[in-house]
Structure formats: structure tokens, C-alpha cells
Amino acid sequence: MTGGDAKPAKAIPLYGTFAASAFSACWAETCTIPLDTAKVRLQLQGKALAGELNAAPKYRGMFGTMATIAREEGAASLWKGIVPGLHRQCLFGGLRIGLYEPVKNVYIGKDHVGDAPLIKKIAAGLTTGALAICVASPTDLVKVRLQSEGKLPPGVPRRYSGAMNAYSTIVKQTLLKLPGFTDNVVTHILSGLGAGFIAVCVGSPVDVVKSRMMGGGQGAYKGTIDCFVQTFKNDGAGAFYKGFWPNFGRLGSWNVIMFLTLEQTKKAFFPKDE
């Protein structure tokens, strides 16, 4: 085949770039989050010891901190915050990298020929980076709060039971700070629905893959990654959000019922002192 017969490379669609970027970012997050957990503990330790001049620091250095966490809390604790961390990377990595080319094309114009000017590339990077930070910021908050909680004294409950509990608790606390919202049934319903919606948006692809693996019959897929790839290849990115509204209806109502029951139970058995 001569050079003139060569076909131009097929452009990768936006959803393909987004999915590849999100997957790559999630894998990088999984490999490096122990270092991030150590970083958070060291940063918070400095704040805690500011008024205790004679107190010996619990954590020393990156590897010393990781060793202390693994020894006192178990090696799995190095991956505290991995769930919101993956949520963040799906949003941050996907938006920042996946939207870069479309945004750059908007800046340079559809009639532009040749390489884009450096200033337009920088502007596109700043735009997608700022958008990704704004969207992913809540997941970063939850991740840091989960990472910061170390070994607790006996009998002291953890601040959050998990990522979804942290999301819903923060949403409820935020609503209570807004004018017109108090600790009542309406606030509990809204916080439950909000937490349910976020959970479905983030967790729907995993739920679809789980359902297909369980219902596809023996040998239908080689594993989780194969199921994800085959679903994406055969049905497109939209397949990961099939059944979105029924799923939201189930999970949203579950959250509402659970939070209403939880709050009323706490009020009944553990009334606040007047």
C-alpha cells in the first residue's frame, strides 16, 4: 500500500476518551492512595501538635507513617477513602482529560488548520481543570475525612461508617445551615434523596456490570474487566446507566426510609437534654 492510500486515523469519540481517562485515573489512584493517606495523617498531625510542644509525634516520615498505620489499624487502612477517591478520579480525570480536546477545538475554531497555539492549549487545560475541580470537590472532602480518622479509643464510634454515610451526613449538615431548614422530616427526606441520587450517578456502572455478570450465565464473561469492556464495546457508554430511574427510585426511597427511621429512633431512645 502506498503512502497516498493510507487512511487517516479514526478519531476517538468523546465518551471513549472520557472512559479511558477515568479508568486510567482510577488505577493510578488505587496504586498511590496509601501515600496520600500518609500525607493526610502527617498534615493533620502538625495541626494537632501545634499547642503540645512536648508531645512526641506519632507519625514520622512517609514510610514510617505507612508502617504505623498498617501496624495499628491494619494494612487495609492505607486504602481508607478509596471509594470517594475513585469517585473523584472518575469525575476529575474524566472531565479534565476527556473534555480537553473538545474545549481546545472550541477555542481555536472549527476552521483552524495546523497545530493549536500554545496559549489556546493552556486556556483549554485551565478550563477543564477548573471545571473538574469544581465538580469533584465534594468527593475530595469525603476522601480526606475518611483518611484522617486513625485508631480510636475503645468504645468511641467512628465519625462515618463508610463513603455513602459520609456523603449523606455532609449533605444533611449542609442543608441544616441553609435558611429555612431545620432538623426535621423534610430535611431528612431531601438529604436522603440527594444522597441516593449521587450514589446512583456514581455507582450505576458498577451495578450494571454486577447484574450482567450474575445474570449472564456461566462463561459469559471472563471477569469484571472483561464484562466492562464487552458492555462498552457492544452497547456503548449509555448501557452503564440502563435502569437509572428505577435504581434511583429504589435507592432514593431506601435512603429516605432509612434516615427517617434512624433519626426518629435516635430521638425516641436518646432524647437530647432540654
Side-chain angles (χ1 to χ4, degrees):
M1 180 181 291
T2 62
D5 295 329
K7 294 181 180 179
K10 185 178 180 181
I12 301 175
L14 175 60
Y15 66 82
T17 303
F18 185 95
S21 302
F23 177 79
S24 302
C26 285
W27 176 242
E29 179 77 4
T30 303
C31 294
T32 61
I33 197 170
L35 302 177
D36 194 54
T37 301
K39 178 207 73 174
V40 169
R41 296 289 182 90
L42 285 168
Q43 289 174 332
L44 294 179
Q45 174 179 253
K47 180 179 179 181
L49 295 176
E52 304 174 18
L53 299 179
N54 296 325
K58 181 178 181 179
Y59 303 115
R60 294 179 180 273
M62 180 177 69
F63 293 108
T65 300
M66 294 171 64
T68 300
I69 294 172
R71 183 175 63 252
E72 292 188 349
E73 306 167 40
S77 294
L78 291 169
W79 277 266
K80 275 185 176 179
I82 185 61
V83 174
L86 295 180
H87 295 167
R88 179 184 186 277
Q89 294 305 331
C90 283
L91 296 171
F92 185 77
L95 290 174
R96 184 184 62 171
I97 302 173
L99 292 181
Y100 173 77
E101 286 295 332
V103 171
K104 184 186 72 173
N105 291 336
V106 170
Y107 285 157
I108 64 177
K110 62 180 180 180
D111 297 327
H112 178 81
V113 178
D115 193 26
L118 178 60
I119 188 66
K120 298 293 181 68
K121 293 180 179 180
I122 294 174
L126 290 174
T127 301
T128 56
L131 175 63
I133 289 173
C134 291
V135 173
S137 182
T139 62
D140 215 22
L141 171 64
V142 172
K143 185 182 80 165
V144 171
R145 289 196 177 182
L146 291 176
Q147 287 176 312
S148 65
E149 196 169 60
K151 185 178 181 181
L152 299 174
V156 177
R158 293 202 169 275
R159 191 177 184 184
Y160 308 111
S161 60
M164 299 317 302
N165 176 252
Y167 282 126
S168 58
T169 302
I170 293 171
V171 168
K172 179 189 170 183
Q173 292 172 344
T174 303
L175 286 174
L176 291 175
K177 295 179 182 178
L178 298 177
F181 285 93
T182 58
D183 192 6
N184 56 26
V185 172
V186 175
T187 301
H188 299 160
I189 291 175
L190 291 176
S191 63
L193 288 174
F197 184 78
I198 293 173
V200 175
C201 287
V202 174
S204 186
V206 177
D207 197 47
V208 169
V209 169
K210 181 193 74 173
S211 298
R212 292 200 172 191
M213 289 188 68
M214 290 181 173
Q218 187 174 5
Y221 303 104
K222 298 177 182 177
T224 304
I225 300 299
D226 180 61
C227 181
F228 182 91
V229 171
Q230 293 299 329
T231 300
F232 181 77
K233 183 186 298 182
N234 297 329
D235 301 326
F240 294 110
Y241 287 91
K242 283 185 176 180
F244 179 90
W245 291 112
N247 197 11
F248 171 62
R250 181 195 69 82
L251 196 55
S253 58
W254 186 94
N255 271 295
V256 168
I257 294 170
M258 189 275 290
F259 281 114
L260 283 175
T261 305
L262 174 63
E263 294 301 325
Q264 299 309 313
T265 301
K266 289 196 297 186
K267 288 180 180 179
F269 290 95
F270 307 99
K272 295 180 179 179
D273 296 331
E274 298 295 340

